[in-house]
Amino acid sequence: MKIAIRRKAKPHAGFEDEYRSSLREYAAGGGEPALGRAYELGRRALTEQKSLVEMASLHHQAVLALIRGAESEKRQEELFRASAEFLAECLSPYEMAHRGFQDAVKALRQLNETLEEEIKRIAYAVHDEAGQLLVAVHLALAEAALELPEPQQAQFARIKEMLNQVEKHLRRYSHELRPTILDDLGWIPAIRFLAEGISKRADLPIHIDATVSGRLPGTIETTLYRIIQEALTNAVKHAKASNVWIRAWKENLVLCCSIRDDGLGFASCQTQAAQHRKGLGLIAMQERVTAIGGTLHIESRPRVGTELTIRLPLEGDHANSHRARG
């Protein structure tokens, strides 16, 4: 075990030494080859997951050691200028990675928006087109029943009742796919509507405490609704919860929302397995939150329950909304 620890520590020390050595070489007039090594050091640091704070600290120490031997103020200025160029080149892989991340988030946001538009189209088709077809079937059955004897009319009545059940289910599926209340009134009323339906079907008390008001951009409201929808589904299907608590509040310029249940929960080593559940899993939840600039924290313990906490920085226009009555 001790040998393994020593071998693991060597690359870190080697990186620091190589950084100082390459910086000295470039400051001494090493030119493009030394600057090229700065770029390679940046790529290596990114691969080894060194933070920008670590890189800044290392560079600061290296520069202090470098300027101690400067003979004059002019030479110090030259060293500072060369050090800045070296650091900029070293951090360029970080900048490219950051741009790549931003592009990926933008693409993910566009994909989510496209999916939501398709879901909206399907929901409206189920509600409107299937609804119109069922109305036509009801009218045709009523017309046919007029010419039938009493026993057959009773059979038609049972068929009509089954069609009413089909219509009821289609209406519910349509609303849960894309509730019109989400577009008309916002995410808090939509969540209350969703929770009421799930609570009745699953016999699961869902407690909502929302002290926020005002509308948010459509993409954000849809994302919050989808995450809470999946969290409630997990609470019913997987967690076997007896209660669920949904809270929404603001902390300065941050919108916070938590979904907590008292279900089975899971240990941290089971998180990866939980992420592979059917439907929108934990990974997809995380991606949805990331796409709108927020964070998702998951805390769970076996037989204690699970809590998901969303934190979303808000712009000034949305952060100053009046508090709702809850």
Side-chain angles (χ1 to χ4, degrees), residues 7-231:
R7 287 179 178 174
K8 190 175 181 180
K10 280 184 178 180
H12 181 69
F15 180 87
E16 292 182 348
D17 291 341
E18 189 173 345
Y19 187 92
R20 295 189 186 98
S21 174
S22 298
L23 176 58
R24 283 196 301 270
E25 182 181 349
Y26 181 70
E32 288 300 322
L35 202 60
R37 279 190 286 277
Y39 177 79
E40 292 302 323
L41 283 168
R43 290 183 59 186
R44 180 177 161 189
L46 193 60
T47 302
E48 295 178 6
Q49 298 183 343
K50 296 184 184 298
S51 69
L52 289 173
V53 174
E54 289 177 297
M55 294 301 294
S57 176
L58 171 59
H59 180 75
H60 177 70
Q61 294 171 10
V63 171
L64 288 179
L66 190 64
I67 63 174
R68 285 194 188 104
E71 305 86 5
S72 63
E73 187 175 333
K74 181 179 179 181
R75 180 55 181 160
Q76 286 185 350
E77 291 177 0
E78 292 173 353
L79 291 175
F80 277 126
R81 185 163 52 250
S83 299
E85 294 170 356
F86 188 88
L87 178 63
E89 188 67 20
C90 184
L91 295 184
S92 59
Y94 282 82
E95 182 180 359
M96 288 187 287
H98 179 65
R99 290 179 181 176
F101 174 76
Q102 287 181 319
D103 290 342
V105 168
K106 181 179 179 181
L108 179 61
R109 188 184 300 118
Q110 291 174 343
L111 175 61
N112 286 337
E113 291 174 359
T114 301
L115 288 173
E116 284 299 329
E117 287 300 318
E118 186 64 14
I119 289 173
K120 184 187 294 187
R121 184 190 66 79
I122 294 172
Y124 289 166
V126 169
H127 185 273
D128 297 338
E129 296 174 17
Q132 292 174 5
L133 183 60
L134 283 171
V135 169
V137 171
H138 276 296
L139 292 174
L141 284 174
E143 185 177 349
L146 292 175
E147 302 176 1
L148 294 176
E150 191 69 25
Q152 281 72 27
Q153 286 192 8
Q155 290 180 337
F156 267 63
R158 288 195 295 272
I159 294 173
K160 182 179 179 181
E161 180 57 30
M162 286 188 287
L163 284 174
N164 287 334
Q165 290 299 316
V166 170
E167 187 175 7
K168 179 181 177 181
H169 286 304
L170 285 176
R171 189 182 304 113
R172 176 167 62 83
Y173 294 147
S174 168
H175 287 165
E176 291 187 5
L177 270 173
R178 179 71 188 194
T180 55
I181 193 173
L182 177 60
D183 297 317
D184 296 339
L185 300 179
W187 69 287
I188 295 294
I191 288 168
R192 294 187 187 278
F193 175 81
L194 173 69
E196 181 181 358
I198 293 177
S199 181
K200 288 180 179 178
R201 293 195 304 274
D203 191 24
L204 173 65
I206 301 175
H207 315 277
I208 299 178
D209 177 18
T211 56
V212 296
S213 64
R215 298 298 301 268
L216 298 171
T219 302
I220 294 177
E221 291 197 330
T222 300
T223 298
L224 291 169
Y225 177 82
R226 291 299 179 205
I227 292 174
I228 293 173
Q229 183 181 40
E230 179 61 18

Side-chain angles (χ1 to χ4, degrees), residues 108 112 222-235 238 257 259 261 266 271 274-299 306-311:
L108 179 61
N112 286 337
T222 300
T223 298
L224 291 169
Y225 177 82
R226 291 299 179 205
I227 292 174
I228 293 173
Q229 183 181 40
E230 179 61 18
L232 291 177
T233 300
N234 287 343
H238 305 292
C257 180
I259 309 98
D261 67 61
F266 51 86
T271 303
Q275 291 170 344
H276 294 289
R277 291 171 180 161
K278 294 181 180 179
L280 179 64
L282 299 180
I283 291 178
M285 285 186 187
Q286 181 68 67
E287 290 175 346
R288 279 184 176 272
V289 174
T290 300
I292 59 171
T295 60
L296 174 66
H297 176 72
I298 303 169
E299 184 175 347
T306 302
E307 182 171 12
L308 281 69
T309 304
I310 304 164
R311 295 180 64 85

